[in-house]
Amino acid sequence: MVDWASIESKWRERWRGTEVAHADASREKRFITVAYPYPNSPQHIGHGRTYTLADVHARFERMRGRNVLFPMAFHYTGTPILGMAERIESGDEGLISGLVDLYGVPRERIPEFADPVKIARYFHEEIRSGMVEMGYSIDWSGEFTTIDPAYKKFIAWQVRLLRERGVIVQGSHPVGWCPRDSNPVSQHDTRGDVEPDFVEYTIVRLALEGGRVLPAATMRPETVYGVTNAWVNPDMEYARVRVAGAEWLVAPECISKLSHLDAGPVESTGTSVRGADLVGLTARVPGVDRDVRVLPATFVRADVGTGAVMSVPAHAPYDCAALEDLRRAGGEAGEIARSIRPVQIIQTEGRGEDPAGELVAAAGVASQGDERLEGLTKDLYAAEYYGGTMLPGTGSLAGMPAREAKEAAAEWLAGEQRGPPEAMYEFSNAPIFCRCGTACVVHVLSNQWFIDYSSAEWKALARRALGALEVVPPEMRPEFEHVFGWLRERACARQTGLGTALPWDGGWTVESLSDSVIYMSYYVVSRFVNAGRLDPESLDDAFFDHVLLGRGSAREAAASCGADEETVAEVRSEFEYFYPVDSRHSGRDLVPNHLSFFVFNHALVFPERHWPRQIVVNGSVLMEGKKMSKSMSNIIPLRQAVREHGADPIRLAILSSAELLQDADFKLDLVRSSSRQLESMISECARIGSGGGGEASPADEWLGARVRETAGTVSSLIERMRLREAVRHVMAGLDADLAWHARRAAPSGGGAVALREAWAARAALLSPFAPHAADEMWESLGMDGTASSSAWPGSSARGDDAALLLSELAVASAMSDIQRILRSARIGASRVTLHVAGQAKSRAHDVMLRAAEGGAADIGSMMRALGADPGAAAMRRDAAFVKRTLSDILSATPRERRLRLEGDADEAAAYRSGLAPLVAHELGAELVVLGEGEGGGPKAASARPFKPAILVE
RNA sequence: GCGGGAGUCGCCAAGCCCGGUCAACGGCGCAGGGUUUAGGUCCCUGUCUCUUAGGGGUUCGUGGGUUCGAAUCCCACCUUCCGCACCA
C-alpha cells in the first residue's frame, strides 16, 4: 500500500510558492478562475469536481510554459449563513448535531457560531485546507473574502458604476414577509425550511351600483372578456373598507393582504354586508364595459383572494358547474343563471366552443362541490395557457397566444383601473410560518433595487460578448442564448445578510449574485492589499476607475486614494497584463444566473478587449448513482475522502467517471482502482530507476513515436477539456503500448533507455491529473526537478514516426491473425509462412486509399481511379482483390489510413525483423516471409497490402 | 409549453461532435480454468447468434430519410432527467 498522506505532504512542500504568478511581459499569460465557494459547510466531492477540472487546466497551461494566474477567494455574502447563526443562537439541536456529527465541527466551537462571520471563517479554513490537500495549484496571494473592507470598496464602486450606466432601477417586488418581525422571509427563516412560493392574482374591480367596488381576484386576467357574472359566497360576511379612494367589499381575511400591497392604507368604513344581500346586484366589468349580475356560489372561499370571483363559464369548470347548480335550484338567481350563455374567448386545438362545459359534462360533474373540479381546472388552464389563442372580440388581445395575453391583459386592466392595487398574492404552498411562529404574508416592497437585465441594448452587448467567447462544451451555447433572452429585472439588494451596503441607500445589502459578477478583476488588487501596499480604507472610486478602467492617471488616482503612485501604476499594469479572464470554470447550475450575469456585467463595464475568453461548464456529481442529498446523508466531505483514499485517486476518479457535461457518478470502487493503478505505476518507475543503457531497438523507436503521438492527442483533448478521454490515453492507452513493447522486447532483452524515457514522458502527461503520483514517479526515475514544473512532453512527430507506427501496426495485426488461426483451427505450428502482397497490389491499394479519402468509396469509383493510374490499372481485373482491399481500407481507423498515406513502411522487412522473433519466442515456430510470387503456396495469391497471406504448418 | 441533457448487447457505462478496425472500450455480474489448505484477492478464457483457418447473420428507444455504407448525420415520435429566477 502506498502511503498517500506522506507522498502528498512531501510534494506539497516542494511545490510551495511555485504557483504564484506575476506579470511578465516576456511570457504569454493565462488567467484561470473558478467560482469561489460559499463557506456554509465543508466542501464535498461535488465541489471538488469543478476545482479539480480548473486545476488540471492550470497545471497543463503552466507546463506548456504559460504564466498562469489561478487565484481563489471566499463568498461570504448572503443570508444562509446568517440564518444558520440565528438557528444556532436559538439552540436548534438538529442543525447543531448535523454540524458536529456530519461536518465534524468540534462541539466546543458551536457557541461562537452564533456569529455568522465565525461560521464563515470556520468553513473558509476548512475548505481552504481541503483545496490545499487536493493539491490544487492555487495562488493564494490574492485570497480575500467578500466582506473584507477593500472588497466592499470595490463592490461600492461597481454598483455606483452600474447605476451610472442606468441599469440599476427601483421598483416594487413581492416577498414572503413576517408581519411580526417586519422582515422578508426566505427558506431558512421559515418553519420547516419552506421556500415561500406565491402566485399572482390580478384584481378586477367590478363596479357595483352606487359606487361601491366588488374586487374579484383572478389568475386569468385574459379571460375578462368572457365574464358573464360575478360570484359571492352567500354565507360569507363582506367587510367594507376604503381602498384607493373607494369603498371595497372584501372577505375579512383579505384586509391584511391588501394592507401589505404597499398601495396605501386600508380603513374600515362600517359594518359588514352579508354575501346573500349582494346577490342580484349589477356589476360593471372594467375595460370590457359590460354589466353583469352578482350570483351566489358556495365554492367561493374567504381565505383565497378577495372573496369575490369573476365568472367565466366557458373556460372555468367551477363557474360552469356553479351556474348549473343555480339553474337547477331555480328562484331568482336560477332565472338569471338560465339566461347566461358561456362566452368563448380562447380557441385551443382539440377543444370545442365551450371547453369548460364540455369537460364538466364529460366528467359527469354533479355540483360545484365535486372534488374533481380542481383537477379539471388545472388541465384546462394548462391546455389553454400553453396552446390557446385569443379569439376576435377580445379587443387588443385578439390573436395573441393565451400566455402572452395573460400579461398583456394584466397590464391593460391596470391602466383601465388607474392606480394600485393592481395585483395581490397568495402563497402557493400556504400556510407558511416564520420561525417566530407568526403566519407569513406576501408583502410588496416598493423600494426594491433591481439590476435591469431586460434592456435591449445591454442584451445586444452581452450577446456580442457571448459570441466572442468560447463555450466549453459547445453544446451549452444555446442554453446561454436562451437565458440571455429571458433575463429580466433582478433584485440586487436585500435587507439582511452579510455583504456590502448599497452606497446610496444604507438599509440595503448588495445581494450575493450581484456582488460576484466582475470580482475576477479584483484579484489583482487584493494581492496588493494583502501585501500591505494598499490601505483598504482609502481605496476610492478614482482608484478603481484608474486601475480597472484606465480612467485618469496613476498620479491622480494615487493622490485621491493616498497610495503612492508607483503602487497604483503597478496595480494597473498587473491588471492590464492578466485581464481578460481566459477561462471561467463553474458547474452548469450557474449558467442561468452567475455565468450569465458575469458575461452581461463584463460586457457593460469593461472594454471589449477585456471581455472573457472562455467559459467551461461541468455537470454535477452523483454518489454511487444517487443524487447527493441536502439532508447530508450521502455527502462525503472532501477532506475526509482525501484522508481515507489519497488526493490523486480521488482526482482521477472524479475526472474519469464522466465527460465534462455529464453527471459524474462518484464510486469508491473507481477510487480504489485508480489508487491501485497509480501504485503500480509508481512501483514500476521505482523498478526502472535512473539506470539503463544499450542500443535502441526498432521496438524502442516505436515506443518513442507512440509517446509523442499520445502527447499530441492528450494535448488536444485537454484543450477541449475532454479530460476523461485524456486520462484514458495516459493510463489505459500507454499501458497497452508498454505491454506490447514488453512483448516485443522479450526475445531480445534491453530497451531500458527507451522505457525510462517513455515513463518520464508518461509521468509528465499524468502530472496535471495526478500531480503527487507523477512527481513520485519522476523522482524514482531520477529525473531533474519535478514533473509538475517540467516542460509538457513534445508532441511533434519525427520524420519516420509514421513509418515506425505503421510497421508496428502490421506486425501486431499479423501476429493477432496468426494467433486467431491457431485458436480457431486448434492446431499447433512449427512453421508460419507469410506471403506479402506485391508491387502492383501496393500501388492499387494506395490509389484506392487516396480515392476513398477523397470521398468516393464505392466500387465504381475505385475502378475508375484504378483505370486512371497506369501502374494500378491491371488490378481492375482482380475484382475480388479490389472488393476486399476496399473493405480493408474502409475498416481501417482514420489514424491508420493517415499513417498508410504518410508512412513509408516496408512490410516484409517489418515482419522479418519484428514479427519473426515474436513468433519464435511466443509460438516456438519459424517465420518465413516470402513475396507473393515466391514459394507457390496455395494461399499466396490472396495476400493484400497489410494483410499478408498466412500459412500455418 | 420553452431551453438543455439522456435512452447502447443482464446491470453500470464508452462510442455519436469528425459516418467505415462497431458485435460495438471498460467495469460489475455470470460460466470455465489457474493460483490458494479454504474463502477473498489476483491471473487467464468465454459471455447476441450461427460457424470453426484469420468467417457469416441480426442488434445500439420507435418509425422514416440521406448515403456505396449509420449506434454515429437529418426529420418525426415515445420515454426520462435538469432548469424556467430574484436562492447560493
Side-chain angles (χ1 to χ4, degrees):
Chain A
M1 260 306 262
V2 165
D3 177 7
W4 288 112
S6 70
I7 290 179
E8 286 162 9
S9 59
K10 166 173 136 194
W11 292 110
R12 279 207 305 274
E13 277 310 306
R14 290 275 294 275
W15 297 336
R16 192 189 292 276
T18 56
E19 61 288 313
V20 176
H22 282 288
D24 176 354
S26 69
R27 291 170 66 198
E28 207 181 322
K29 65 91 186 180
R30 283 289 183 280
F31 186 20
I32 297 172
T33 69
V34 200
Y36 48 24
Y38 185 68
N40 68 334
S41 63
Q43 65 187 342
H44 57 249
I45 304 284
H47 302 114
R49 185 171 186 204
T50 309
Y51 296 116
T52 301
L53 288 161
D55 184 54
V56 171
H57 193 183
R59 286 177 172 277
F60 170 66
E61 294 289 4
R62 235 179 250 124
M63 288 178 74
R64 290 168 116 197
R66 270 76 185 252
N67 190 18
V68 172
L69 177 57
F70 179 40
M72 190 55 63
F74 293 83
H75 200 195
Y76 284 25
T77 311
T79 53
I81 290 176
L82 191 66
M84 278 174 75
E86 283 164 5
R87 287 167 64 184
I88 296 282
E89 187 149 41
S90 66
D92 184 326
E93 208 28 63
L95 178 64
I96 292 171
S97 66
L99 288 169
V100 173
D101 302 337
L102 287 151
Y103 290 171
V105 178
R107 192 167 270 277
E108 64 272 17
R109 296 199 60 172
I110 293 294
E112 72 189 57
F113 277 21
D115 175 359
V117 176
K118 291 276 171 47
I119 298 180
R121 296 251 181 261
Y122 179 87
F123 288 117
H124 172 160
E125 286 312 315
E126 184 75 13
I127 292 168
R128 188 187 198 281
S129 303
M131 289 175 163
V132 170
E133 286 159 7
M134 278 291 279
Y136 297 152
S137 57
I138 292 165
D139 176 351
W140 293 101
S141 67
E143 180 184 6
F144 62 85
T145 84
T146 60
I147 60 166
D148 292 353
Y151 189 80
K152 290 184 169 184
K153 299 278 186 182
F154 165 70
I155 293 302
W157 167 78
Q158 175 204 309
V159 291
R160 266 195 294 260
L161 186 71
L162 293 181
R163 199 175 182 209
E164 257 171 47
R165 301 277 166 100
V167 298
I168 294 196
V169 297
Q170 209 168 16
S172 66
H173 179 65
V175 294
W177 184 266
C178 170
R180 182 164 163 268
D181 300 346
S182 287
N183 242 326
V185 291
S186 62
Q187 191 168 351
H188 62 273
D189 304 310
T190 60
R191 216 184 252 175
D193 281 337
V194 191
E195 175 68 30
D197 190 23
F198 36 81
V199 289
E200 182 176 303
Y201 287 82
T202 301
I203 297 174
V204 179
R205 298 180 204 175
L206 302 169
L208 296 177
E209 317 154 46
R212 288 183 301 176
V213 171
L214 180 67
T218 178
M219 291 174 68
R220 303 187 63 185
E222 74 279 14
T223 61
V224 71
Y225 279 97
V227 172
T228 58
N229 59 287
W231 296 118
V232 294
N233 190 321
D235 304 323
M236 248 168 62
E237 293 292 327
Y238 285 80
R240 292 158 58 193
V241 290
R242 175 156 288 275
V243 178
E247 186 175 82
W248 288 26
L249 299 171
V250 297
E253 288 88 336
C254 176
I255 297 175
S256 127
K257 295 174 198 165
L258 286 176
S259 68
H260 281 282
L261 296 179
D262 199 48
V266 178
E267 292 153 1
S268 173
T269 49
T271 53
S272 59
V273 183
R274 201 164 169 74
D277 296 337
L278 299 171
V279 170
L281 295 178
T282 301
R284 171 156 286 238
V285 182
V288 184
D289 290 336
R290 178 188 299 160
D291 286 326
V292 298
R293 307 290 290 276
V294 177
L295 294 175
T298 51
F299 76 84
V300 175
R301 291 170 54 176
D303 58 345
V304 177
T306 53
V309 176
M310 63 183 210
S311 169
V312 189
H315 299 286
Y318 271 110
D319 299 343
C320 172
L323 279 174
E324 198 49 45
D325 288 351
L326 284 182
R327 289 181 191 124
R328 270 201 300 274
E332 191 200 335
E335 281 306 311
I336 300 172
R338 246 169 248 150
S339 71
I340 289 175
R341 294 283 160 271
V343 179
Q344 188 200 6
I345 49 129
I346 300 173
Q347 178 62 53
T348 309
E349 179 81 28
R351 309 269 171 175
E353 290 179 4
D354 179 11
E358 288 153 17
L359 265 184
V360 167
V365 169
S367 77
Q368 61 187 296
D370 195 315
E371 285 173 5
R372 288 170 299 163
L373 282 169
E374 189 71 40
L376 295 180
T377 301
K378 277 194 179 132
D379 291 349
L380 183 59
Y381 180 44
E384 296 191 326
Y385 180 71
Y386 293 123
T389 308
M390 304 304 292
L391 287 170
T394 55
S396 58
L397 306 178
M400 280 188 192
R403 62 181 311 181
E404 284 174 29
K406 179 179 173 172
E407 268 179 58
E411 211 165 293
W412 161 71
L413 280 170
E416 288 290 321
Q417 300 184 145
R418 286 189 206 87
E422 296 152 353
M424 62 183 297
Y425 305 86
E426 294 284 354
F427 287 117
S428 54
N429 50 353
I432 290 178
F433 293 96
C434 178
R435 290 194 167 271
C436 76
T438 314
C440 296
V441 296
V442 180
H443 183 85
V444 172
L445 290 170
S446 59
N447 53 351
Q448 172 72 51
W449 293 98
F450 292 91
I451 295 184
D452 183 10
Y453 289 110
S454 67
S455 126
E457 304 93 277
W458 196 4
K459 284 194 180 196
L461 201 60
R463 284 201 173 97
R464 211 144 63 73
L466 179 65
L469 64 78
E470 184 191 10
V471 177
V472 178
E475 302 93 277
M476 285 311 287
R477 186 178 289 278
E479 195 156 330
F480 275 103
E481 282 163 358
H482 183 243
V483 170
F484 281 29
W486 61 249
L487 273 182
R488 303 262 179 277
E489 301 85 4
R490 182 193 167 82
C492 67
R494 312 193 37 131
Q495 295 186 312
T496 55
L498 301 176
T500 306
L502 272 187
W504 61 86
D505 192 349
W508 293 90
T509 301
V510 179
E511 175 271 341
S512 58
L513 282 164
S514 303
D515 82 342
S516 57
V517 290
I518 57 167
Y519 72 90
M520 310 81 205
S521 63
Y522 177 77
Y523 278 122
V524 171
V525 176
S526 63
R527 314 163 99 195
F528 288 83
V529 174
N530 293 351
R533 296 178 61 189
L534 288 172
D535 173 13
E537 291 309 324
S538 67
L539 298 181
D540 60 7
D541 287 0
F543 170 80
F544 289 111
D545 277 344
H546 177 69
V547 300
L548 301 181
L549 299 179
R551 289 185 189 163
S553 67
R555 176 194 297 271
E556 289 156 4
S560 169
C561 74
D564 64 278
E565 191 182 330
E566 295 104 86
T567 303
V568 172
E570 202 181 325
V571 179
R572 173 64 185 160
S573 74
E574 284 267 316
F575 176 78
E576 277 281 2
Y577 176 76
F578 282 115
Y579 237 61
V581 172
D582 292 290
S583 188
R584 175 103 184 128
H585 287 255
S586 121
R588 71 177 300 181
D589 52 331
L590 299 189
V591 170
N593 41 68
H594 166 72
L595 287 173
S596 292
F597 303 153
F598 161 71
V599 176
F600 266 77
N601 284 278
H602 270 82
L604 186 71
V605 169
F606 292 104
E608 199 159 342
R609 71 194 159 90
H610 284 161
W611 290 356
R613 296 281 162 80
Q614 182 188 56
I615 289 177
V616 180
V617 179
N618 62 270
S620 61
V621 175
L622 306 173
M623 285 302 301
E624 304 284 349
K626 293 196 193 64
K627 205 169 166 176
M628 276 189 271
S629 73
K630 287 217 173 89
S631 62
M632 310 186 278
S633 55
N634 63 342
I635 290 180
I636 301 183
L638 193 59
R639 295 190 70 188
Q640 181 193 329
V642 171
R643 270 195 302 277
E644 288 172 9
H645 305 282
D648 285 352
I650 291 167
R651 291 171 66 113
L652 283 191
I654 291 174
L655 293 171
S656 53
S657 72
E659 219 40 275
L660 194 56
L661 198 55
Q662 291 184 339
D663 290 347
D665 190 3
F666 186 83
K667 293 179 180 161
L668 283 178
D669 273 355
L670 191 53
V671 179
R672 282 188 275 263
S673 75
S674 300
S675 181
R676 272 195 297 273
Q677 285 180 62
L678 291 174
E679 278 175 35
S680 76
M681 287 168 72
I682 290 171
S683 60
E684 182 65 10
C685 287
R687 196 184 62 75
I688 292 166
S690 54
E695 296 265 304
S697 70
D700 293 346
E701 302 280 1
W702 167 80
L703 185 60
R706 266 301 290 155
V707 168
R708 286 187 287 280
E709 196 183 18
T710 302
T713 309
V714 171
S715 301
S716 95
L717 287 170
I718 298 181
E719 277 164 11
R720 286 172 290 154
M721 281 288 126
R722 313 246 334 211
L723 302 190
R724 199 188 79 96
E725 215 176 326
V727 168
R728 281 210 319 165
H729 276 91
V730 178
M731 306 292 282
L734 286 180
D735 254 352
D737 292 331
L738 287 162
W740 175 252
H741 177 260
R743 262 177 93 182
R744 287 281 272 102
S748 54
V753 172
L755 213 48
R756 177 165 175 258
E757 278 173 12
W759 275 95
R762 194 182 193 194
L765 292 175
L766 182 67
S767 181
F769 309 104
H772 311 89
D775 266 334
E776 194 66 18
M777 289 161 64
W778 188 264
E779 188 184 51
S780 295
L781 294 168
M783 303 293 290
D784 292 334
T786 57
S788 40
S789 63
S790 69
W792 187 249
S795 60
S796 55
R798 304 203 180 139
D800 57 349
D801 276 5
L804 280 168
L805 295 168
L806 186 56
S807 295
E808 206 60 25
L809 276 177
V811 169
S813 137
M815 186 66 193
S816 123
D817 275 352
I818 292 167
Q819 288 179 309
R820 217 182 295 191
I821 290 168
L822 292 176
R823 208 173 26 243
S824 67
R826 291 185 237 273
I827 51 176
S830 60
R831 186 166 64 184
V832 178
T833 308
L834 253 48
H835 294 273
V836 179
Q839 192 58 46
K841 284 184 175 175
S842 281
R843 177 84 196 175
H845 167 271
D846 291 351
V847 168
M848 289 169 70
L849 176 56
R850 261 182 272 277
E853 289 288 278
D858 56 304
I859 291 284
S861 309
M862 286 303 128
M863 290 299 183
R864 275 192 296 282
L866 289 170
D869 186 288
M875 286 315 298
R876 280 185 300 176
R877 281 197 294 276
D878 188 346
F881 166 79
V882 174
K883 201 170 153 226
R884 295 217 163 142
T885 302
L886 178 59
S887 102
D888 288 346
I889 288 171
L890 293 178
S891 63
T893 56
R895 165 175 180 261
E896 193 171 347
R897 282 191 234 166
R898 202 192 63 238
L899 290 176
R900 286 188 192 180
L901 284 172
E902 291 171 6
D904 187 14
D906 180 341
E907 251 191 282
Y911 297 139
R912 282 193 194 99
S913 75
L915 186 58
L918 207 55
V919 167
H921 187 256
E922 295 191 4
L923 306 175
E926 177 199 6
L927 182 77
V928 180
V929 180
L930 298 175
E932 198 178 339
E934 296 175 296
K939 297 196 142 271
S942 67
R944 302 193 299 278
F946 303 102
K947 202 72 184 167
I950 300 170
L951 181 70
V952 180
E953 299 165 284

